[in-house]
Each structure stands twice: as C-alpha cells, then as structure tokens.
Amino acid sequence: MMTKEKEELLEHYNLGLAAYKRRNWDEAIGHFRKALDTVPGDGPSEEYLKRCTAYRDNPPGEGWDGVFVMTTK
C-alpha cells in the first residue's frame, strides 16, 4: 500500500519532471520543493532541483533534448 506522503511526493515529482522537460524551470523548482517538503531527502527530487536551478541561471541550448550532461566527476 502506498502512503499519502509517497503519493504526494510522486505527484509533485512527476509534475516537476514534466515542467523540466518543457524548460519551465520556475514551475519545476516549485514542484520539486513541494516534493521535498513532503519527503525530505528524496534523492531524485534533490538532484532535479539542483539541475533546474542551474538551468534557470544558464539555460541549455536550443537543441537540448532533456538529457543532463555531467561536466564534472
């Protein structure tokens, strides 16, 4: 059985991911923050929150296909 918290986490995570793919960084950031408010420490939400913040400050090029390319090890 899925808990209410897990359902809420998944709802915000999925909405955040959809906004991320549309390059709507502020909307995505809001959803990932709500996901983390529901389940603090959720690794995927934390990672996408970092990526969205970075992309908001330095957007990817026009040919971006949603794939994140690591530039450091």
Side-chain angles (χ1 to χ4, degrees):
M1 183 172 136
M2 190 176 297
T3 65
K4 181 182 180 220
E5 290 81 13
K6 188 73 163 186
E7 285 180 16
E8 190 173 337
L9 166 74
L10 289 173
E11 178 182 354
H12 286 294
Y13 178 83
N14 286 325
L15 289 169
L17 189 57
Y20 171 86
K21 289 178 181 177
R22 291 191 315 270
R23 301 169 71 132
N24 189 334
W25 314 124
D26 290 328
E27 180 183 341
I29 287 168
H31 284 296
F32 291 124
R33 284 185 177 153
K34 287 179 184 176
L36 289 166
D37 286 344
T38 304
V39 179
D42 177 63
S45 295
E46 288 177 339
E47 183 59 33
Y48 273 103
L49 180 59
K50 287 182 212 171
R51 291 178 187 185
C52 289
T53 302
Y55 280 148
R56 181 181 61 191
D57 298 338
N58 188 20
E62 288 301 315
W64 183 71
D65 60 1
V67 174
F68 181 79
V69 178
M70 293 181 67
T71 57
T72 59
K73 190 172 177 182

